[in-house]
Structure formats: structure tokens, C-alpha cells
Amino acid sequence: MDKFKTVEGVAAPMPLINIDTDMIIPKQFLKTIKRSGLGMHAFAEMRYHEDGSENPEFILNQAGYRNAKIIIAGDNFGCGSSREHAPWAIGDLGIKVIISTSFADIFYGNCFKNGILPIKLPQDKVDLLMDDAKRGANATMTVDLVNQEIKGPDGGTIKFEIEAFKKHCLLEGLDDIGQTMQKVESIDAFEAKMAEATPWV
Amino acid sequence: MAKTLYDKIWDAHVAHEADDGTCLLYIDRHMVHEVTSPQAFEGLRMSGRTVRAPEKVLAVADHNVPTSPMIGGVAAIKNNESRIQIQALEKNVKEFGIEYFDINDDRRGVVHIIGPEQGFTLPGMTIVCGDSHTATHGAFGALAHGIGTSEVEHVLATQTLIQSKSKNMRVTINGSLPNGVTAKDITMAIIGKTGTAGGTGYVMEYAGQAIRELSMEGRMTVCNMAIEGGARAGLIAPDATTYAYLKGKPRAPKGDMWDQAVESWKELYSDDDAIFDLEVVMDASELIPNATWGTSPQDVLPIDGTVPFPTDFADQARQDATQRALDYMGLTPGMKLTDIKIDRVFVGSCTNGRIEDLRAAAAILKGHKIAKNVEAMVVPGSGLVKMLAEEEGLDKIFKDAGFDWREPGCSMCLAMNDDQLKPGERCASTSNRNFEGRQGFKGRTHLMSPAMAAAAAIKGHLTDVRDL
Ligand code: SF4
């Protein structure tokens, strides 16, 4: 995984609440056996008309937002299924940061495994950023993970919280499996203990 | 210190704890299906890793499989991508030595139905699957959650999951269910009350008399939709009902080992003085059959209700979402739920595709015909459910009523195979998600219990099953 660097770019406003994983990547695109190339299908049913042409009302189809790197989203973003195709698709679009008042648990975890930073903020802060985002291409934001702050287009900064371990992994681009493998002795010992305690498992 | 059921299972599975509290949780059982696993196996292959404990993994194809008879096997599946995905699973299980129920195996079916059916799911275990409805297995007092594909790879390689502990929530349903009210009505009523994000960050334990009085099938229906309430896992403490269901299942312990296991399972309950971070209490006697009107599972109403106005909600975001849902669903605020006409009926899925669900629907359908303009299908949750239903003659009741009797799979729960709604079609469905496009592009879904879906099939519109 690439190391997460400071992200500077346009933020796209998606104020709808409960944007679910079926909206992010409809199931007809889950049939791939690869991780890459899903960006063109991200938000497909909102983004394209039935005939395949673009729906100009969808935010990422609008001039100024096409190269957005940040999404400011309504509450409970990513609810629904566990499909990691959701962050794969969003990441493939070039989105690096999603900011909302809350995320569904599985989606939230999946983001970190794919170099995407989900940021939870209180409603008033999200409202502020949502307004900034609506101003379009000139209103770029900067998300600085090291210092855990977002700089708005007018220079104001907003601090955010993140688990230390998750931050570390994103910044270093660390692979979870490799790290867990270093603790293989603990796993071996645990297995041996459980084989005695619950032999039917 | 007093512990909740979740605390107990969690504590028994921590293989390593880092200074910041991040844990490696040991995973006892891992179920794998074709949609969320190919990239995980590819990852293992690329990094030269193996599967640490193949005997703890069980694989099945369910999401993509056609529900027409499988003549000609996988090679005959017409949709290229579906076929390739199933073939990829077949190749992966062979290469990594994982047990697999192939598409003609009687034991095949929706992953969350076959685990319990085989006794692969047992109390006190940790269970994962690259699928959010893994919560279903919590009905046995197992800590079961859905994971993403990177985590599937992580569990395959290490048999552990990196986790921080969730908070404890308990939903207590006091009293007994009135006639005509089912497990599905309970679980949807809970989501109606707490919202789809109400359980986010929690493991949700279900308790109270109404839960204790449910069969295992009913308990699975309740836990299945924990994720729709935002909770990653649902839990119900095991009891005599649980043991009776599991005894004699192919993978359940036998003989002395069974007795030893039951002894240990008896410790699996929340201590009387355990503290929950959040408690919700409901009264079963107040429940009546319900159905959803909108595009989120929290858009649920008692069947005697009316479609809401956006202005019924205080905050702007909810008003906007309601307007969008009304437009999508093609409904007028103020209209009665029972005036909503349907085109299709789907009975099946890991929420309601078990034998008891089929019995409940058949009991309503017996001696009736479905309405003229309605097309209805029933998709048993597994090959074994299908065989048992046929032994009991349920297939005949369904077919006589005008239902299409299909082969097992996920089918129109998420419409990855050919079973899909056409744009604008409206479906009474026993599945778990009514999201936009879930059952087909621009399709409209109303969630309800099997009995309610059967009643809707007969009437051609949503209806109160108790009036039939
Ligand atoms: S039946 Fe539906 S919810 Fe269950 S596993 Fe299949 S697609 Fe998912």
C-alpha cells in the first residue's frame, strides 16, 4: 500500500444521509476478480443515465468536481454490505479522504486497508466543510494526517481524531498481514491453549 | 467483574493485545463465498502466503448462482463474469485445500444458512465471513461479524483479525409475541426505533422473553438484521433451544465431547449485574406486523400505518432523504401501506430462506392463488432446506398457489444473478435490504416477513396477514 501523504484538493459535497454500499458500487460490478478498475463504476446508478450517458446533476460529473480528492458526506456513509469494492471504487476515482459525522463500521475499517482516510467530525464542523465544498473548484482543502488537521479554503483549521495504530499504518503504508505474522508465536500459543480448553472447536 | 456475553467471548479469543488496546482476535470459523474472496486469494498468491488453518474454513458459491436447475454445471452458466467468479473460487479452494460445497452439492446454499445447518456454527465461537450478514450466526451465542476482503486475506493467512473492542448494547423484548407477529417484525421494529446507525460501534445482544421464545430460525432472522441497525454483530445467549437445534448436526461435537461442550456453553450469558453502554427495551405486546415503505430498513411502519410526509421529520437531512425515497418508490405521502400494489414477491434470502420461513409462507398460501398480476418466486436458502420442504409437500403448496419454485442461492435478495426486478417493478420481499437498486435497477422493495409476503401475493397489495 502507498504511504498516505498530505492531501490537497477539491472536496465534493454529498449531503445525502445513509449513502449505502449499493449506491457506491452496485452489485453488477462486484463480479470482478480484481481490485482495480472499479472507479468508472463508482456511484454508477446516480452518476449515469440508463443509456450510459452522464447525469449532469451528479456532483462528480460537474466541472470543478471531476478531480475531487475529498468527499464531504452526509451521516452514516457506507452503510450496508461488507464489500471492499466500495473503497476500491472510491479510491480508484482518486478520492483519498471522506469526511462525515459517522461511517458504518465495516466500511470505515475497509477504507484504512486501502489508503483512504475516513474522518469523523461533529455535525457543525461537517456543515462548515460542506458549505466550503459547495463553493466548488476554487475552494480547495488540505488534509494533514500527521498533524491531524484540515485546513479550509479560508485558512481556518479543524482538528480531527484518529486511532494511533490506524494513523501509523496509513502513514507508513503498512501491510496488516506482515505485522500480524510477527506475532505468530502468540497465535501458536493461543491455538495450543484452546486445543485443550475447547477441543470440539 | 461482571461480564456481558460479548465480553466473555471476546476475552476468550484475544491472542495478543498491543499497548494501545488493539487486539488480535483469534477466529474459530471462516466462511468464504465467491464475491468477496477472489482478491484475497490473489493477495495470498502474490505474497507467497498459505492458509494457516484450512480446516476452519468452509466455502460455497451463493451470490451468483442461477436458481434454475444446474444442468451442465458451472460451465453452463451463461453470464461470463458470474461463471468466472465461481470458477475462480473452485480453483482457489483446490489450491489452498479448503472444503467446498459445489453447486450441485445438496448441502450448498446461502453461506449463512449452511453454517448453522452443518453445525459449523457453534456457541462461543468467533466466526467471520466477507459478508455483512455474518451477524446471523450470533443467534447461537457466537461472536460473528462481516469483514472486508483485506480482512478475509488476513484471516486466511493468520487465523486472526485485528480488532478493537466494540461497545455493549442490549435490546430487551419483554412479553410474548402476539399472533401473526414474527421474528422479522421484531428485528425491523428495532431498526425502526434505533435507526440504521443506532447500533454503529456496538455489539447488540438481544434478550427478553420474546427472544427466548423464538426458535433458532427466528433468532437467526433477528440477528441477521443486526447489521441493518448498524451493529456489526448480534448476539443471543445459547439455551436449550440452541442445543436441541445443534445436536446431531454433521459438524457438531458428538458423545462425551458434546456433553463437555454443552457444559461450557452454559457459561455463555451476560451476568446479571453486567453493565451495557446502551439499553433499549421494547414490549412484544405492542408489536404488529410491519413492512418498509422507503429505501432504508429504518423506513419501517406497522402495516396499519400511512406513508410519511417529509415534514414528519424534524431535521433537514432526514426530510431530504424521505423526499428522495418517496420519489424513488413512487409513493404519495399519506397513502395507506395497505393500498400499495405489488408486481412481484420474493420469499428467500439468509433472513428468511429457512424451512420455518417456507412453512410460514406456505401456511398462508395453502388453498389460495396469488393475485393475477403478481409474479412470485420462492428460493430455498439451501439444498437441504429445499429437500426438506419437498418432503413436507411445501413445494406443491407454493406451486399450486402460483409461485415459481427455485433452486437455492441469494437470488433476488441482491439480484446478482438473473433474478431481478425490472425498473419500476415493486416487490414484497423477505430479504433484508430495500436500498435503491438492490433487487434490480430502479426496482422497488418492501421488506416484510414470509407470512406477510405470502399474504401480499394473494391480495396483490401490501396487507395485514392477520386479516386473511
Ligand atoms: S441472501 Fe442476501 S443478504 Fe444474505 S448473503 Fe445472500 S446476498 Fe447477502
Side-chain angles (χ1 to χ4, degrees), chain A residues 1-200:
Chain A
M1 204 167 70
D2 291 341
K3 293 183 181 181
F4 188 95
K5 306 219 178 65
T6 293
V7 173
E8 190 186 345
V10 170
M14 290 196 187
L16 187 64
I17 57 172
N18 299 328
I19 293 188
D20 58 65
T21 50
D22 283 73
M23 286 185 187
I24 297 171
I25 184 83
K27 69 260 164 178
Q28 59 269 35
F29 307 115
L30 306 185
K31 294 187 181 182
T32 173
I33 55 172
K34 304 203 187 73
R35 286 171 203 253
S36 54
L38 284 166
M40 59 194 286
H41 306 307
F43 303 104
E45 289 179 1
M46 298 196 269
R47 191 163 148 208
Y48 305 112
H49 290 304
E50 256 158 276
D51 63 3
S53 63
E54 282 188 1
N55 177 356
E57 277 177 26
F58 183 66
I59 189 78
L60 296 176
N61 288 338
Q62 294 170 15
Y65 290 112
R66 285 187 180 269
N67 298 318
K69 290 186 181 157
I70 302 164
I71 290 176
I72 317 288
D75 192 50
N76 199 25
F77 189 84
C79 60
S81 96
S82 64
R83 59 186 70 158
E84 201 158 321
H85 308 69
W88 293 338
I90 289 177
D92 200 44
L93 268 184
I95 303 289
K96 298 264 185 266
V97 180
I98 309 170
I99 301 172
S100 178
T101 40
S102 78
F103 295 89
D105 286 337
I106 304 179
F107 177 82
Y108 183 78
N110 280 342
C111 283
F112 287 98
K113 317 253 185 263
N114 294 283
I116 297 173
L117 171 62
I119 300 176
K120 283 185 244 184
L121 288 176
Q123 188 74 54
D124 57 326
K125 300 281 180 353
V126 173
D127 289 346
L128 218 65
L129 293 170
M130 192 72 78
D131 286 341
D132 286 339
K134 284 178 183 158
R135 286 157 50 193
N138 298 324
T140 58
M141 301 180 190
T142 306
V143 177
D144 175 352
L145 176 56
V146 176
N147 295 307
Q148 295 179 217
E149 60 185 28
I150 304 162
K151 276 202 193 63
D154 303 323
T157 60
I158 293 172
K159 285 275 184 193
F160 62 87
E161 298 292 324
I162 179 170
E163 262 176 63
F165 177 72
K166 291 202 157 88
K167 173 178 174 179
H168 173 70
C169 291
L170 265 189
L171 286 172
E172 299 300 323
L174 289 178
D175 159 17
D176 282 351
I177 299 179
Q179 296 193 73
T180 299
M181 290 284 202
Q182 292 171 358
K183 298 175 190 131
V184 68
E185 282 169 18
S186 306
I187 304 173
D188 290 343
F190 183 86
E191 259 177 2
K193 187 181 88 184
M194 291 308 274
E196 294 247 320
T198 55
W200 58 86

